[in-house]
Amino acid sequence: MIELINLTKDYGTVLAVNNLNLRVATGEIYGFIGPNGAGKTTTIRMMGGIIEPTSGKVIISGIDMKEDPLRAKKIIGFVPDRPFLYEKLTGMEFLKFIADIYEVETNIITPRAQELLEKFALTDWAHEIIEAYSHGMKQRLIIAAALMHDPRVLVIDEPMVGLDPAAVRMVKDMLKNLSRQNVTIFVSTHTLSIAEDLCDRIGVIHKGALLAQGSIAELNLAARTGNAGLEEVFLTLIREA
Amino acid sequence: MQSLLSVLLRPRLLSTLQGIKPGKKKGNRWRIFIFIFIGAVFWLGAFIIFFRILNYFQSVEGFGDILALRLLSMIVITFFTLLLFSNIINSLSHLYLSRDLSLLHSLPVPAKDIFISRWLVSAFDSSWMVILFSFPVFLSYGMIYQAGAGFYFLSFAGMVFLCLIAAAISSILVMLGAVILPAGKIRSLFIVLGVALAILLVLVLRIIRPEQLVNPQTFASVVIYLNSLQALDAAYLPTTWISDVVSAALKGDWKFSLFSIALSASFAFSLIFINESIAKASYFRGFSRAQTTAKRLFYPVTLGNYNWDALLNFLSPAAKAFAVKEIKTFFRDSTQWPQLFLICALIVIYLYNFSVLPLEKSPVNIIYLQNVFSFLNMGLAAFVLSAIAARFVFPAVSMESEAFWIIQAAPVSIKTFLWIKFFLYYIPLLIVSEILIIVSNLLLGVAPFIMALSIITIFCLVPAIVAMAIGLGARYPDFKSENPAMAATSFGGLLFMLCSFALIAAVIIIEAGPVYYTFMADVHGRNLSLMHVVRLIASFSFAFLLCIFAVFYPMHIGEKHLSKT
């Protein structure tokens, strides 16, 4: 479960996130959409414990990120918007590195890494240095790394960027499957069709504030758009904000 | 329409201006002031040293001018060698490896223009510091020989042509290397360079034999030796032409000076023309080849199922993961290697020079001299350590580069992360420093007291220097840099060097008095007075506390800053 309580991030010159409140239930897939510069990545970085909020709280499965960041981070699988990795390690070495950091049991590290590499079609590249990977391969590796320690909460910023259609389908199926296993998933995306297809609920953020949230039907009600698709709802909400 | 070249150079120019704009960043003025201050100190120091040397040469009857001119050719050759190496490394990076090259090559611009713009930037980056630090040398020559404005103008022009020649030769070599080497292995040029540089350095220093300068009996032969280095003045070498430009202008032989500068200029422009022709034919081909998948130079040697990282099994899983990652990343980054080879060469030279010091020929008491050298050696070894730390330890945090999010998102505190980094560098550096100090002391044959003192002092200084490098590296990180190793030359790197030098100087000064009393008492077979014992304990305790402070405080400020990044 994820709870954001009065979450605010003020960079001094920009109020990136303004008093954000939301709750994602266990096993729910929550989509976070908004225009460029709306505050999505800042929110996600606060949820991952990468930056500190100016005020407010991030609660992950009952653990306050500020009070006990290490325990909170241990149950999160974090996927950033850009796949920056340790370029001089091989894919397998990187997965083992992540597993050790998250204190995964030694005897299951290698089979788990092999299983994930197989799942993400990276087995042939397992022993090549990451520097040689394409953008899409790095993105697949980063998602695989986030799953190495069986996280209870998955926080993903733009999961599909750089992925080929087969990988997009595979990631979507995998996220749905994880949700069925009670993993809470928070996804930020610009690809509205993916949000529509994948998420149980969607939150629309603009200028750091949450404009509306709920299922597509609830968003249609909020935007008074009848039975329109997410794109129409999104554009209406942003236009009227 | 503006020329393409000026358009291509504009991003670099604007980025530089943005970087030095006052008020853009907090404390930017201070940074600029400290940079200028340190530069001015070095500049002034170089001037004083050269002025005194030349003044001294003038007092050597019959040989003064010859010695001064020999020194001049040696300086020009040194500048040229430095320029060649820095140009090769810079042009490799500017022409083939920079991240923005993909964007540039996608633009509707001829590859030749891209080449020229990058070549100019590379030549400037490699040369400005050499030109700046050639001024005090020429100023001291000008003052000693009371030269006029023409001398300074021609010397400056000579240096500019020297830089252009070095830049042109380097880029020709790099372009040929990029065409000859197999695709994806262009980075291996760094390794070739590193080995070549290390070997050259050892050879040059052993040929010069600097230890002979402390032997008064051989002074006459040093003069003859310097005078006999006729090979330095071969008529076909550009360094000879530049030396001729300066020496002829110094003597007022304007005709020969102008002839030599014309020779240098025509050679420089010819090389630039040849460069452009080679670039037209092969630059883009070489660049395309370099864009293929990066290949590993070496694959690990495995002994059955045994893996070297099993040696680190005594660490916690997280610490071991960091250690393995750090070691693999370091050794797989070929850009680190030339400097690693260079440091190995310097250590060998350092120790070898101690073994050949002709102390027995010195007029000063040998026991006294041995121990004075040993005490100074402690400081020198610590300075060497600081330089190594500035290059390898200070950038350690910045080396995480944009992958630093992994650390931020991981269930490992910043404090743990920094202390793991600390121990990773502390242990090898402690071993290197102690070997350096013990071997050099054994070669000097010092008293047991001085040996023990050196070992303990270095034992306390190493963690302090490493912690300052890690802590200040964390306080002034640069995660966005294309070359994080360059962090050593940033404001934070300079601040680290200043703090490190200040700490070493403080420890040496605090220890100097009590060590002198104890050593002299030992030599004369006297007992120390109570006052001296108290002073000894107080001084060593203070030095120890200073080192402890230098371990924990920088780590604390680094942690505080990184936690808020």
Side-chain angles (χ1 to χ4, degrees), chain B residues 26-351:
Chain B
K26 222 167 114 183
N28 220 10
R29 270 187 198 179
W30 267 107
R31 287 170 190 238
I32 295 168
F33 172 76
I34 289 181
F35 267 121
I36 293 172
F37 174 75
I38 293 170
V41 168
F42 276 102
W43 201 94
L44 204 67
F47 171 72
I48 292 168
I49 290 169
F50 276 101
F51 189 79
R52 291 193 66 165
I53 290 174
L54 289 175
N55 227 345
Y56 173 68
F57 281 169
Q58 289 305 301
S59 67
V60 183
E61 213 173 314
F63 278 110
D65 287 346
I66 296 169
L67 284 176
L69 295 180
R70 284 283 163 267
L71 182 67
L72 181 69
S73 353
M74 287 169 87
I75 291 166
V76 173
I77 286 176
T78 311
F79 281 159
F80 190 62
T81 318
L82 281 176
L83 284 167
L84 274 180
F85 276 104
S86 92
N87 267 296
I88 288 176
I89 288 176
N90 267 324
S91 49
L92 189 59
S93 154
H94 281 292
L95 293 172
Y96 294 100
L97 306 174
S98 289
R99 279 187 211 155
D100 61 337
L101 281 167
S102 305
L103 171 70
L104 283 179
H105 282 281
S106 74
L107 300 174
V109 177
K112 181 202 73 179
D113 287 312
I114 297 176
F115 168 79
I116 295 174
S117 67
R118 306 308 296 222
W119 179 79
L120 281 173
V121 172
S122 161
F124 177 80
D125 285 353
S126 314
S127 314
W128 70 270
M129 206 179 259
V130 173
I131 291 187
L132 193 69
F133 281 90
S134 70
F135 285 166
V137 178
F138 295 129
L139 185 63
S140 47
Y141 270 94
M143 284 174 74
I144 293 284
Y145 286 90
Q146 291 165 346
F151 161 78
Y152 295 106
F153 174 75
L154 283 168
S155 304
F156 175 70
M159 277 309 293
V160 171
F161 288 124
L162 188 75
C163 293
L164 287 176
I165 292 168
I169 292 174
S170 307
S171 56
I172 289 173
L173 291 176
V174 168
M175 278 194 285
L176 294 178
V179 173
I180 294 163
L181 279 173
K185 292 241 168 143
I186 192 162
R187 282 175 171 82
S188 52
L189 265 181
F190 282 114
I191 288 114
V192 179
L193 266 174
V195 177
L197 186 57
I199 294 172
L200 191 77
L201 195 75
V202 174
L203 285 178
V204 167
L205 281 173
R206 289 327 308 150
I207 289 167
I208 293 173
R209 297 206 297 167
E211 72 278 2
Q212 293 296 326
L213 294 166
V214 298
N215 182 358
Q217 289 170 9
T218 58
F219 184 69
S221 64
V222 170
V223 171
I224 294 161
Y225 154 73
L226 281 173
N227 194 27
S228 69
L229 290 175
Q230 296 295 340
L232 299 179
D233 289 342
Y236 50 82
L237 286 177
T239 47
T240 309
W241 309 333
I242 306 296
S243 301
D244 288 345
V245 169
V246 181
S247 57
L250 212 53
K251 290 184 228 159
D253 184 356
W254 301 112
K255 213 169 146 187
F256 187 52
S257 183
L258 286 171
F259 169 75
S260 303
I261 199 105
L263 197 60
S264 314
S266 62
F267 186 60
F269 293 130
S270 308
L271 279 179
I272 292 169
F273 174 74
I274 294 169
N275 241 300
E276 204 188 315
S277 309
I278 296 178
K280 259 189 208 163
S282 76
Y283 170 56
F284 184 67
R285 191 152 46 103
F287 172 76
S288 308
R289 285 166 65 90
Q291 299 315 298
T292 49
T293 305
K295 292 217 172 63
R296 283 163 74 171
L297 288 172
F298 305 110
Y299 282 85
V301 182
T302 44
L303 301 167
N305 284 333
Y306 188 79
N307 219 334
W308 66 266
D309 54 9
L311 293 170
L312 301 170
N313 279 348
F314 64 94
L315 296 171
S316 71
K320 186 187 159 191
F322 273 119
V324 171
K325 185 271 286 180
E326 199 81 2
I327 294 166
K328 283 181 176 167
T329 305
F330 183 86
F331 286 106
R332 284 177 192 172
D333 183 359
S334 51
T335 56
Q336 303 272 18
W337 296 17
Q339 289 170 67
L340 209 58
F341 288 126
L342 203 62
I343 283 171
C344 292
L346 284 173
I347 289 173
V348 171
I349 294 164
Y350 186 94
L351 292 175

Side-chain angles (χ1 to χ4, degrees), chain A residues 48-51 70 73-74 78 80 84-86 88-90 93-94 97-98 100-102 127 129 131-132 142, chain B residues 187 293-294 296 299 317-318 321-322 325 328-329 332-333 400 402-403 405-413 565:
Chain A
I50 290 174
I51 50 173
L70 302 191
K73 286 175 184 182
K74 220 166 197 170
F78 185 83
F84 290 118
L85 296 161
Y86 295 122
K88 299 287 177 193
L89 297 188
T90 66
E93 285 168 351
F94 180 69
F97 167 76
I98 291 292
D100 281 333
I101 294 286
Y102 283 84
H127 300 290
I129 50 171
E131 202 173 29
I142 225 165
Chain B
R187 282 175 171 82
T293 305
R296 283 163 74 171
Y299 282 85
F322 273 119
K325 185 271 286 180
K328 283 181 176 167
T329 305
R332 284 177 192 172
D333 183 359
E400 293 293 320
E402 300 208 67
W405 70 268
I406 297 169
I407 307 301
Q408 290 177 302
V412 174
S413 69
T565 300

Side-chain angles (χ1 to χ4, degrees), chain B residues 420-441:
Chain B
I420 290 172
K421 286 249 178 206
F422 168 84
F423 280 106
L424 275 171
Y425 288 94
Y426 165 57
I427 293 162
L429 283 179
L430 181 71
I431 295 169
V432 169
S433 318
E434 291 291 6
I435 289 176
L436 207 64
I437 206 81
I438 292 171
V439 175
S440 51
N441 277 347

Side-chain angles (χ1 to χ4, degrees), chain A residues 174-204:
Chain A
M174 186 204 66
L175 293 178
K176 283 177 184 167
N177 196 29
L178 286 169
S179 151
R180 279 193 289 273
Q181 292 167 33
N182 273 341
V183 175
T184 310
I185 300 168
F186 189 98
V187 188
S188 153
T189 184
H190 279 299
T191 322
L192 300 181
S193 59
I194 285 170
E196 203 166 2
D197 185 34
L198 191 66
C199 303
D200 301 315
R201 280 194 306 146
I202 293 165
V204 182

